Amino acid sequence: MNAKVRNGDTVDFRQLRYFVAVVEAGSVTDAARRLHVVQPAVSQRIADLENGLGVQLLIRTRQGVTPTSAGLELYSRARSIIKQVAVAANATRERGGIVGGRVSIGLLRSFSRILAVPLFQELRAALPAVLPEIVVGYSESLVQRVNATSLDLALRVLKSGEAVAGCEPLFSESLCLVGSARLLRGQPSEIALSDVGGIPLLISPTQPIHGELQVLAQEAGIHLHTVGSVESSDAIEQLCRSGHAATFLSEMTARALALAPGRKLSMVRVQGFERSICIYSHPEIPKSSSVQACEQMLRRIALQEHARLHVQTQDS
């Protein structure tokens, strides 16, 4: 793949691939190692690219390299080109009857313990030619990675009633207050945020919803009895089980914890915090058969686990 540039030279696909690798690695040496080529070859390709375009793409220091504004522009477009080439290659193979290749899937951090293992196992069993890459993160970062073409699919959180191109809704859920049965004894099945004030709370500084809740509480004049912040979700869960405090979790996660061995945790839905979960893909990039097959499996497993947890917690 060649693209004409202003001085009549060309940009070749390998230059773009090397340039993206250098930007992502932060150094030519690390990029060469990842590309399995010698460092001088990478340096020469980048120099040829800059000479051909007539602009500086990288700022070089002893600590590594950072892209210039022109470099950032090329990086964004080059990533899209590389992804398009990969999609075209997969589509060509699929025309020949081969469904396979690398498919990257982003799972919401709160759902990873529920979905990651069954999704991986079923993908490998049903689509042995597909190499699944499962990435875990928060909604906003996963969306950014899909838009940057580093993920093929991702679960995404939408506010109630929100609609986004390229996003297929799966189910809706509430935000839940989760704590020990003793701490939440006597609480109704649903409460308003204003009624949470007397309950000691643990907050995670890395969870976006916790930050949003704190802002909303301040704006509404609601005092949340926060007793501390813990970045580790596992540590927060242990502290909640021991009765030290409660925390806020997605409904699906809350139901899974309420069903865990020992059943020391209870859940209470918080009114006014409905959200939708959808599968998001880049609206301008066609899906290969492999991506479509993985999307169908992700949808089926997510719906299946959501229904299972709902039924089991209703029956318990």
Side-chain angles (χ1 to χ4, degrees):
M1 173 181 288
N2 291 323
K4 294 292 182 182
V5 294
R6 66 174 184 85
N7 62 359
D9 291 335
T10 59
V11 176
D12 65 43
F13 183 72
R14 185 173 297 178
Q15 286 175 333
L16 294 180
R17 192 164 65 88
Y18 283 16
F19 174 70
V20 167
V22 169
V23 171
E24 293 181 345
S27 80
V28 175
T29 301
D30 288 345
R33 188 178 300 113
R34 297 181 188 184
L35 292 165
H36 304 291
V37 297
V38 295
Q39 184 267 334
V42 176
S43 296
Q44 187 60 55
R45 288 280 180 176
I46 300 301
D48 291 343
L49 181 60
E50 289 182 316
N51 290 334
L53 292 172
V55 294
Q56 182 180 359
L57 299 172
L58 298 172
I59 299 172
R60 298 158 176 83
T61 67
R62 291 183 178 180
Q63 288 71 40
V65 298
T66 56
T68 63
S69 59
L72 285 172
E73 177 70 20
L74 179 62
Y75 172 74
S76 175
R77 294 178 181 274
R79 281 211 59 112
S80 179
I81 291 170
I82 291 170
K83 185 65 177 182
Q84 291 278 17
V85 170
V87 169
N90 285 337
T92 302
R93 284 193 290 267
E94 288 163 1
R95 284 286 184 177
I98 301 172
V99 177
R102 193 182 305 270
V103 177
S104 51
I105 303 169
L107 296 182
L108 293 169
R109 191 171 297 278
S110 56
F111 293 171
S112 60
R113 69 166 66 192
I114 303 168
L115 300 179
V117 171
L119 177 62
F120 184 87
Q121 290 175 335
E122 293 203 33
L123 284 172
R124 292 300 298 146
L127 303 168
V130 170
L131 180 65
E133 291 182 341
I134 297 177
V135 175
V136 175
Y138 294 114
S139 180
E140 184 176 350
S141 65
L142 293 178
V143 168
Q144 290 174 351
R145 295 187 66 170
V146 170
N147 290 339
T149 69
S150 63
L151 287 178
D152 294 299
L153 303 165
L155 292 181
R156 177 175 183 175
V157 175
L158 296 179
K159 295 178 181 178
S160 181
E162 183 181 4
V164 173
C167 217
E168 300 184 22
L170 291 172
F171 53 81
S172 296
E173 64 167 14
S174 299
L175 186 69
C176 291
L177 181 68
V178 176
S180 68
R182 177 180 58 81
L183 185 63
L184 299 185
R185 185 179 295 118
Q187 295 291 343
S189 60
E190 289 190 15
I191 59 174
L193 185 61
S194 57
D195 297 326
V196 179
I199 301 172
L201 297 172
L202 280 171
I203 299 297
S204 169
T206 60
Q207 289 193 29
I209 189 61
H210 285 188
E212 292 174 20
L213 280 171
Q214 289 177 308
V215 171
L216 289 172
Q218 289 176 356
E219 292 176 347
I222 299 171
H223 173 70
L224 296 180
H225 181 32
T226 303
V227 296
S229 63
V230 181
E231 188 170 333
S232 167
S233 297
D234 289 338
I236 287 181
E237 180 186 329
Q238 292 178 32
L239 289 167
C240 288
R241 287 186 184 280
S242 66
H244 283 83
T247 194
F248 296 103
L249 295 172
S250 72
E251 185 174 353
M252 192 167 176
T253 305
R255 290 185 183 278
L257 291 178
L259 290 170
R263 299 193 179 185
K264 295 180 180 179
L265 286 175
S266 296
M267 56 172 279
V268 176
R269 286 192 296 274
V270 181
Q271 296 171 1
F273 289 94
E274 288 286 325
R275 65 182 195 168
S276 296
I277 307 300
C278 71
I279 298 178
Y280 179 65
S281 59
H282 198 297
E284 297 178 0
I285 296 181
K287 299 173 191 172
S288 67
S289 297
S290 300
V291 172
Q292 291 179 32
C294 291
E295 181 179 17
Q296 291 172 3
M297 190 165 294
L298 173 59
R299 180 184 298 106
R300 179 177 60 78
I301 292 173
L303 289 172
Q304 176 181 297
E305 290 300 304
H306 178 261
R308 177 185 67 82
L309 291 169
H310 184 79
V311 169
Q312 291 184 358
T313 49
Q314 291 291 97
D315 293 342
S316 62

